[in-house]
Amino acid sequence: MQPYQTTLDWSFLDNNVLYDRDIEQDKLFAAYNKRLSSQSCNEFILLSGMSGTGKTALAQTIRRHVTSKGGFFISGKFDQLKKSEPYAALVSAFTEYVTAIVNGPNENYLKQVKEDIQTSLRTDLQLLTDMIPALEQINGLQQASSTVKGTEATLRLHMATRNLVRTISSPSNPLVLFLDDLQWADSATLDLLRALALDKTCHGLVLMGACRYDEVEFEHEFAEFLRSIEHENDATIVPIELHNLTFEAVEDLVSDVLRMSKEESRPLFKAVYRKTKGNILFVVQALESLCRNGFLTRDSNGRWQWDTGELKAWGKGVTNVEDLMMNKIRRLSPDSRTVLMTAACLGAEFDGYLLSEIVSVFDIPNAVDEAVENGLVAELPDGGFYKFAHDRVQQAAYSLLTDEKKAERHLDIGRCLRQNLSEEDIEMNLFLIVDQMELGSNFLDDQDEKDELASLCLRAGLKATRRSDFKAASKYYTLGIDSLSDRNWRDQYYLSLDLHNAVAETKYCTAEFDAMDKYINTVLSNATSLRHKVPAYSTKIFALGARHRVNEACETGFTLLSALGEKIPLKASRPQVMMNVAKTMYMLRDKSDEDIMDQPPMCDPDKIAAMSILNLLTYYAYLSKIDLFPLIACRMVQLTVS
C-alpha cells in the first residue's frame, strides 16, 4: 500500500483556477476584447491591490487565450533592488518575446519578423538593440546608431519602441504586455510606457500593469503617470481592484485542498481565516505552515486531521505572512539558506551562473533545488535562471540579514562579480555590479577600490545614456564623482574630467540647468587644456539654446572657435560672404562627390573640435545671425577638403 502524501496538493490550481475573482476576470477579458475591437480607444488595464491578493495570477489567466489566438503574452517585473537599472522590466518582457520566436517551431514566422523589423526600424534598430540586447538574436549585430542628445534621443527611442510594437502585433495577433509591481517602476520606463499608452497606431498592443495601491501615494511617480494618462481624452485607465478573498471563498479553497466537505473543514477554515483575513498568499502559506509543523496530519485512513486546541496555539505564534516565510527559510539546510539570502540581494529574479560566482557553497545546484522543492523558488523556462515564488519570499530571505550584513553582502557580491566575470559578462551585468557596490559603499575604505568603482560608474552611466535614461545615467556619474578623493583632479584627472563632462551633459538632458552649470564650471576651472574644455562648452551652448538664449549660445561658440584658431566675425558684410563662397567653390573645383567622400579622416584634434562647434552653431546662427550662416557652412566645407 502506498503511503499517503503528507504535503498539500495544490495541483488543482494549475489550470488558472481562481477563487472569488469572477467579476474581476470578466472585467479583464472585457477590457482585453474591447481594446482589440475595431472601435477601440487607447486603454491601460490596471490591476491593483495589496500584496498577496492574486494580481499576477489574475493577469496570467489571459495568457492561454492570447497564445491560442496566435498572439504573445509577455511580462516583466519591477524590482525594489533594481530601480536604477534602465527599462529592466521592459527588457525582460521583450527578451521573453525574442526567446519565444527564436526557439519556436515556426521558422517562416521568425524570418518574416526579421524582415519586418529591419524594414520598420532601419537606422534605429541599433538604438533599440542597445536597450534590448536579445534583439541581436533576430537581427544580428547592427551599425552604431547616430549620436543624438537630450529630448531628441528619448523621442527616438520611444518612436523606435512604438515601431517595434506596431511591427510585431496586430488585432488578430495581439501582443499583451504585462508589467508587475509598477510601484517600483523607474521614471524612464514610465515615460516610455506613457508613449505606448497614448500611441493611437499600436492597435495590436494590450497594456496591463499591476501595483500595490497601499504603496502608491499621491506624489508617487506612478501616481503622476496615471494622472497624465487620465488627462488625455483618447486614453483611459481600466481599474480592476482586487481585495482579500471572502469568507465563503476561503471556505471553498480550504475544503477543496483538503478534499473534505465544508462542514468537516470548518474549524480549520475558521482558524485560518481569522489569522489571514482572506489574503490568498497568507492563506496558502498558513495551510503549508500547519502541515509542515505537524498541526495538520493524516489519519490512518489518509484523511486530514487537526487538534482544535493546537490550532489556537498556532494562531498566537503567527503574526504575518513574512513570519511564515522566514520560518520556512530557517528550516532549510545552511547551504540552501545562504544561497537564498544571497539571491535575495540580487533581486526577484536571479541567474544561477552569477550565483555560482558569488556564493562559496560546495553544491549550489542542490541548495537551489531544495529551495525549489520547498516552493520558495521557481526555475524559469530559459534554464539556469530562477525567480522567487513571491516578493514576500524574497523580502523574508532578505530580512534574515541585519542591515549591516546586507551592506556587507551587497559589497561582497559586487566585488565577486567584478573580479570573477569576464569583461564581456561585466559589461552585460554592469548595472547590477555597480548597484551592489553602491549598496555596500559604506564599507568601502580603500581609495584604489573607490576609484575602480568610479570607473565602473562612468561605464554604467554611458550605458544608461545609450538607452536614453538620463536620470539613471546622472545617478551613476554622480556616484562616480562622490567615490573619488578630494584630490581627484590631481590623482584621477582623466576620470574626473570624463565624469564631470558626462554628468553635465545628462543634467542638460534632464533640464537641471543649475546643476549643469555647477559641473561645467568645475570642468572649466580644472581642465588643463582648451581641448579638454570643449565638451563642457558644447553642453553649455546646447543648454543656452534650449533656454532660448540663442545670441549667448552663438557668442560662446564664436569665442571658443577663436581660441581654436577659427575666427568667425560677429557680423558679416555681403562682400565677406561672397568672398568665402567664391573661395569654397574654388577649393571644390576639381573634386567630385566621390573625391569628397574619400577624403582621409581629419587628424588635427583642434580642427575636429572646431568642426563639432561649427556644426552645433549652424542651427543657432540660422535662427539669430543669418548673415553668419554662409560663413559657418563655407568654413566647414573648407576644413573638410583642405
Side-chain angles (χ1 to χ4, degrees), residues 327-398:
N327 290 334
K328 192 173 184 179
I329 294 168
R330 287 191 183 104
R331 294 169 66 95
L332 298 174
S333 67
D335 280 357
S336 188
R337 207 161 51 241
T338 298
V339 165
L340 217 56
M341 288 189 292
T342 303
C345 295
L346 293 173
E349 297 182 1
F350 56 93
D351 182 343
Y353 164 68
L354 294 184
L355 205 58
S356 68
E357 298 294 332
I358 300 165
V359 185
S360 56
V361 168
F362 176 70
D363 195 347
I364 289 179
N366 274 346
V368 174
D369 286 345
E370 184 182 346
V372 172
E373 289 166 6
N374 280 272
L376 297 166
V377 167
E379 187 170 6
L380 294 171
D382 14 334
F385 290 85
Y386 301 86
K387 68 174 182 178
F388 283 95
H390 194 275
D391 295 332
R392 289 298 184 90
V393 180
Q394 180 199 359
Q395 290 165 2
Y398 196 58

Side-chain angles (χ1 to χ4, degrees), residues 601-619:
M602 195 176 288
C603 298
D604 187 329
D606 288 342
K607 297 306 178 187
I608 293 172
M611 281 289 282
S612 70
I613 300 301
L614 286 165
N615 184 53
L616 176 56
L617 288 176
T618 53
Y619 175 67

Side-chain angles (χ1 to χ4, degrees), residues 34 41-45 197-198 229-230 232-239:
K34 180 183 176 184
C41 64
N42 287 25
E43 289 183 342
F44 183 81
I45 304 170
L198 299 178
I229 298 294
E230 287 177 329
E232 296 291 332
N233 294 328
D234 297 322
T236 58
I237 293 171
V238 181

Side-chain angles (χ1 to χ4, degrees), residues 223-359:
E224 293 179 2
F225 162 81
L226 294 176
R227 288 194 293 272
S228 71
I229 298 294
E230 287 177 329
H231 289 160
E232 296 291 332
N233 294 328
D234 297 322
T236 58
I237 293 171
V238 181
I240 302 176
E241 192 170 327
L242 282 74
H243 300 284
N244 286 343
L245 300 185
T246 62
F247 188 89
E248 294 77 15
V250 176
E251 186 176 28
D252 289 339
L253 174 61
V254 173
S255 174
D256 288 345
V257 74
L258 297 181
R259 289 166 174 75
M260 301 172 71
S261 69
K262 293 179 183 179
E263 285 292 327
E264 292 173 307
S265 62
R266 185 157 294 148
L268 177 64
F269 142 69
K270 284 184 175 179
V272 169
Y273 186 82
R274 196 161 42 242
K275 179 53 60 178
T276 65
K277 301 297 186 292
N279 181 283
I280 181 61
L281 176 66
F282 202 172
V283 168
V284 170
Q285 292 302 320
L287 289 169
E288 288 283 342
S289 171
L290 286 167
C291 189
R292 187 170 56 251
N293 291 290
F295 294 104
L296 186 58
T297 59
R298 300 267 198 182
D299 64 18
S300 58
N301 295 316
R303 294 176 60 78
W304 290 104
Q305 62 181 358
W306 55 87
D307 182 280
T308 305
E310 289 182 347
L311 285 181
K312 291 180 181 178
W314 167 83
K316 290 178 181 178
V318 175
T319 56
N320 55 52
V321 69
E322 195 163 292
D323 285 343
L324 291 177
M325 300 288 193
M326 290 172 71
N327 290 334
K328 192 173 184 179
I329 294 168
R330 287 191 183 104
R331 294 169 66 95
L332 298 174
S333 67
D335 280 357
S336 188
R337 207 161 51 241
T338 298
V339 165
L340 217 56
M341 288 189 292
T342 303
C345 295
L346 293 173
E349 297 182 1
F350 56 93
D351 182 343
Y353 164 68
L354 294 184
L355 205 58
S356 68
E357 298 294 332
I358 300 165
V359 185

Side-chain angles (χ1 to χ4, degrees), residues 44-330:
F44 183 81
I45 304 170
L46 178 62
L47 312 180
S48 63
M50 297 183 70
S51 175
T53 51
K55 300 179 293 295
T56 306
L58 176 62
Q60 291 291 340
T61 61
I62 211 166
R63 179 188 288 271
R64 185 176 299 174
H65 179 75
V66 173
T67 54
S68 68
K69 300 292 184 183
F72 290 89
F73 181 103
I74 59 176
S75 61
K77 183 179 177 67
F78 294 98
D79 195 316
Q80 197 169 16
L81 292 177
K82 296 180 180 178
K83 289 182 71 174
S84 60
E85 183 173 338
Y87 308 109
L90 280 175
V91 171
S92 177
F94 282 103
T95 299
E96 183 181 345
Y97 169 79
V98 172
T99 302
I101 66 169
V102 169
N103 297 333
N106 194 336
E107 291 186 11
N108 290 332
Y109 178 78
L110 174 60
K111 183 179 179 182
Q112 186 62 54
V113 167
K114 177 178 180 178
E115 292 175 358
D116 292 345
I117 288 177
Q118 288 178 336
T119 301
S120 63
L121 292 172
R122 303 189 184 211
T123 56
D124 287 336
L125 184 52
Q126 181 57 42
L127 180 69
L128 207 53
T129 304
D130 285 338
M131 182 178 84
I132 310 168
L135 285 175
E136 201 173 290
Q137 297 178 47
I138 299 177
N139 295 95
L141 289 169
Q142 301 295 313
Q143 291 183 347
S145 54
S146 57
T147 303
V148 291
K149 297 182 180 181
T151 305
E152 184 184 354
T154 302
L155 291 176
R156 276 191 57 191
L157 180 64
H158 289 185
M159 186 178 296
T161 307
R162 286 152 51 199
N163 282 340
L164 174 66
V165 169
R166 282 193 291 268
T167 301
I168 63 178
S169 67
S170 67
S172 57
N173 299 105
L175 177 72
V176 177
L177 173 58
F178 173 62
L179 297 175
D180 205 354
D181 284 323
L182 279 159
Q183 73 276 359
W184 295 325
D186 58 284
S187 57
T189 299
L190 290 177
D191 288 341
L192 180 47
L193 200 55
R194 184 183 296 107
L196 288 170
L198 299 178
D199 192 321
K200 298 179 183 178
T201 62
C202 294
H203 302 299
L205 174 65
V206 180
L207 283 175
M208 293 172 54
C211 78
R212 301 179 186 177
Y213 58 60
D214 56 317
E215 296 185 23
V216 179
E217 297 178 352
F218 185 81
E219 298 82 7
H220 196 283
E221 277 187 308
F222 181 60
E224 293 179 2
F225 162 81
L226 294 176
R227 288 194 293 272
S228 71
I229 298 294
E230 287 177 329
H231 289 160
E232 296 291 332
N233 294 328
D234 297 322
T236 58
I237 293 171
V238 181
I240 302 176
E241 192 170 327
L242 282 74
H243 300 284
N244 286 343
L245 300 185
T246 62
F247 188 89
E248 294 77 15
V250 176
E251 186 176 28
D252 289 339
L253 174 61
V254 173
S255 174
D256 288 345
V257 74
L258 297 181
R259 289 166 174 75
M260 301 172 71
S261 69
K262 293 179 183 179
E263 285 292 327
E264 292 173 307
S265 62
R266 185 157 294 148
L268 177 64
F269 142 69
K270 284 184 175 179
V272 169
Y273 186 82
R274 196 161 42 242
K275 179 53 60 178
T276 65
K277 301 297 186 292
N279 181 283
I280 181 61
L281 176 66
F282 202 172
V283 168
V284 170
Q285 292 302 320
L287 289 169
E288 288 283 342
S289 171
L290 286 167
C291 189
R292 187 170 56 251
N293 291 290
F295 294 104
L296 186 58
T297 59
R298 300 267 198 182
D299 64 18
S300 58
N301 295 316
R303 294 176 60 78
W304 290 104
Q305 62 181 358
W306 55 87
D307 182 280
T308 305
E310 289 182 347
L311 285 181
K312 291 180 181 178
W314 167 83
K316 290 178 181 178
V318 175
T319 56
N320 55 52
V321 69
E322 195 163 292
D323 285 343
L324 291 177
M325 300 288 193
M326 290 172 71
N327 290 334
K328 192 173 184 179
I329 294 168
R330 287 191 183 104

Side-chain angles (χ1 to χ4, degrees), residues 553-566:
C554 289
E555 289 166 8
T556 302
F558 292 146
T559 301
L560 178 58
L561 284 171
S562 179
L564 290 167
E566 296 294 330

